[in-house]
Amino acid sequence: MSTKKEQIDQLITYIIQGIEDVKGNEIEIIDLRDLENTVCDYFIVCSGNSNTQVDAIESSVRKVVSKALQDKPWHVEGLENSEWVLMDYVDVVVHIFQKQIREYYDIESLWGDAKITSIESNY
């Protein structure tokens, strides 16, 4: 039986794989565990270049996580216009932005006290 931390680490690994499979970019992991009153343990934030790519990232993350872990998001928002899609996996929340929307909301700076890890893309 794996621990909760191991399960979350696996989930993060597969989410990032799903993002990278369709060339999502500017991937960052925001660790919220040391902050008070947070809704989850981690945010994973990434960017897509268009509505189509944002949709593709969401679909890829859903498929990769489902296949690997037999898990699905508890809730998904934003598919109507695909400018900012939120995928809630309870302990991990994925934010998929179009670049200009990400710059506008700048959620990384809202969580400035959190540890932020940037993932280098292999493409």
Side-chain angles (χ1 to χ4, degrees), residues 82-117:
S82 299
E83 292 180 344
W84 176 1
V85 173
L86 181 144
M87 302 178 76
D88 185 348
Y89 282 95
V90 182
D91 293 314
V92 179
V93 175
V94 184
H95 297 270
I96 309 165
F97 287 98
Q98 285 189 39
K99 190 173 183 67
Q100 69 278 12
I101 302 298
R102 182 175 180 174
E103 289 170 0
Y104 178 79
Y105 286 102
D106 192 18
I107 67 169
E108 292 92 341
S109 70
L110 295 175
W111 298 97
D113 293 344
K115 180 180 179 226
I116 299 177
T117 305

Side-chain angles (χ1 to χ4, degrees), residues 1-7 10:
M1 186 86 184
S2 60
T3 66
K4 180 178 176 184
K5 182 182 181 336
E6 290 170 335
Q7 292 171 345
Q10 283 184 328

Side-chain angles (χ1 to χ4, degrees), residues 12-28 44-47 53 56-58 60-62 64 87 94-96 121 123:
I12 290 170
T13 298
Y14 289 115
I15 288 169
I16 290 170
Q17 178 186 328
I19 294 168
E20 290 180 331
D21 283 354
V22 290
K23 298 193 176 8
N25 53 52
E26 299 175 343
I27 304 168
E28 293 186 326
I44 298 180
V45 183
C46 70
S47 298
Q53 189 179 21
I57 294 168
E58 185 274 337
S60 179
V61 167
R62 185 185 298 260
V64 168
M87 302 178 76
V94 184
H95 297 270
I96 309 165
S121 299
Y123 42 84

